[in-house]
Amino acid sequence: MLDATFSDLEPLPQDDGPVPVVRIAYPDGFEEVMSYFRRVVVTGECSQRTLQLSAEVIAHNAANYTAWQYRRRCLEAMHSGSSNAAREQAWREELAFCTARGRENLKNYQVWFHRRSCLARLGSGPEAELEFVAEILRDDSKNYHAWGHRQWVLSSCGGWEGEAAFVEGLLEEDARNNSAWNQRYFLLQHTADLSSLSVAEGEVDFAARYIAAAPGNPSPWNYLRGVVEPLGYSAVPRVRLLCEGLLAGDAASGAGRVAALSPL
């Protein structure tokens, strides 16, 4: 299939040594694609055909970091002398390519890293990208890669003003979503003074809502601990009031009772 496109190049086969111990049974087409890809990596050719070849490699194995890196190298070289508009269009098309592959590989680090590279070159605002990640998290609210990417978008492009409401919406759906609790703490780290008593008291009240609903849920307790412990429990007396109130009633039993006793 690739012979006609790369008729001027000699494929570079994989070297498994003179006597391979266990020969890997690659799927049809894989060895041909990789043999030509090894050759163009050696020659350093950056062209439309090598860009397409890298897409073939990714179709076989989306975790091939070298293929993603080569796409960035090709685009940089091919558009080094292009107008700003043409360069932007090329990276927008690349972002669309990355989106398509990303939806098929939502827990693939290489795809998410490549996406960041596209966005960094485009210099876009945060709105569309935050919505893209929100869509992913609606289907998989604990996707580690999506959360990491969302934090990168916020740190690099902004958009902090809507994050508290987004996180709270996820917690209303699932109060045991540790990823959402972690994101709220991440938000505080970048937008509030965690050494402030008033901030700590506000977050204790926030966590208390979820603790009251399910005292045995460790997630809000861990969040409360993370906010209060740096200041000291004695500095935030409402934690004691919360715990004593739970212990005095019938709500806390089992894991909830243990959690309420811990700060006292």
Side-chain angles (χ1 to χ4, degrees):
M1 178 182 67
L2 297 174
D3 291 346
T5 304
F6 294 96
S7 59
D8 57 318
L9 297 180
E10 180 182 354
L12 181 59
Q14 178 171 300
D15 184 0
D16 291 325
V19 185
V21 177
V22 179
R23 182 172 175 79
I24 299 173
Y26 292 113
D28 292 342
F30 181 86
E31 290 183 89
E32 180 189 25
V33 168
M34 288 304 302
S35 293
Y36 278 110
F37 184 63
R38 290 188 198 94
R39 179 59 66 191
V40 300
V41 169
V42 170
T43 63
E45 177 186 335
C46 292
S47 62
Q48 190 60 44
R49 70 173 184 173
T50 59
L51 186 67
Q52 179 56 39
L53 179 61
S54 68
E56 296 286 344
V57 174
I58 289 167
H60 280 284
N61 177 16
N64 189 317
Y65 179 84
T66 304
W68 289 106
Q69 185 275 337
Y70 207 80
R71 290 189 70 80
R72 295 192 291 275
R73 179 178 169 184
C74 282
L75 287 167
E76 290 284 6
M78 291 166 61
H79 295 281
S80 61
S82 300
S83 65
N84 290 338
R87 190 179 303 111
E88 179 179 340
Q89 180 60 27
W91 283 105
R92 289 203 179 281
E93 291 175 2
E94 186 64 11
L95 181 61
F97 171 83
C98 188
T99 299
R101 297 290 77 77
R103 291 186 184 282
E104 301 166 357
N105 302 273
L106 291 175
K107 296 186 178 180
N108 182 315
Y109 170 78
Q110 287 79 10
V111 176
W112 287 103
F113 183 84
H114 190 73
R115 187 174 188 87
R116 293 185 192 184
S117 297
C118 293
L119 292 167
R121 287 166 172 83
L122 287 169
S124 304
E127 295 80 12
E129 194 63 13
L130 289 175
E131 178 53 37
F132 171 78
V133 180
E135 179 186 341
I136 302 302
L137 292 174
R138 278 192 283 271
D139 292 332
D140 182 2
S141 63
K142 300 176 184 179
N143 186 315
Y144 173 84
H145 299 284
W147 279 115
H149 185 70
R150 190 173 185 89
Q151 292 183 355
W152 176 85
V153 173
L154 289 166
S155 300
S156 302
C157 309
W160 298 101
E161 60 279 358
E163 196 63 8
F166 173 74
V167 171
E168 190 167 350
L170 291 177
L171 290 174
E172 289 298 319
E173 294 176 7
D174 178 12
R176 289 174 169 79
N177 186 341
N178 287 319
S179 297
W181 285 105
N182 179 72
Q183 185 72 357
R184 185 174 176 90
Y185 192 81
F186 174 81
L187 174 64
L188 286 180
Q189 285 179 310
H190 290 81
T191 62
D193 180 6
L194 285 170
S195 65
S196 166
L197 179 59
S198 63
V199 170
E201 289 176 336
E203 292 309 300
V204 169
D205 291 343
F206 179 83
R209 289 167 39 201
Y210 296 90
I211 290 172
N217 175 9
S219 298
W221 283 110
N222 289 335
Y223 178 78
L224 183 149
R225 187 177 298 113
V227 171
V228 175
E229 282 189 352
L231 300 177
Y233 286 106
S234 61
V236 193
R238 65 184 62 197
V239 175
R240 173 176 285 276
L241 294 175
L242 168 65
C243 294
E244 290 177 344
L246 287 170
L247 293 169
D250 298 327
S253 61
R257 188 170 186 82
V258 172
L261 285 168
S262 179
L264 297 179

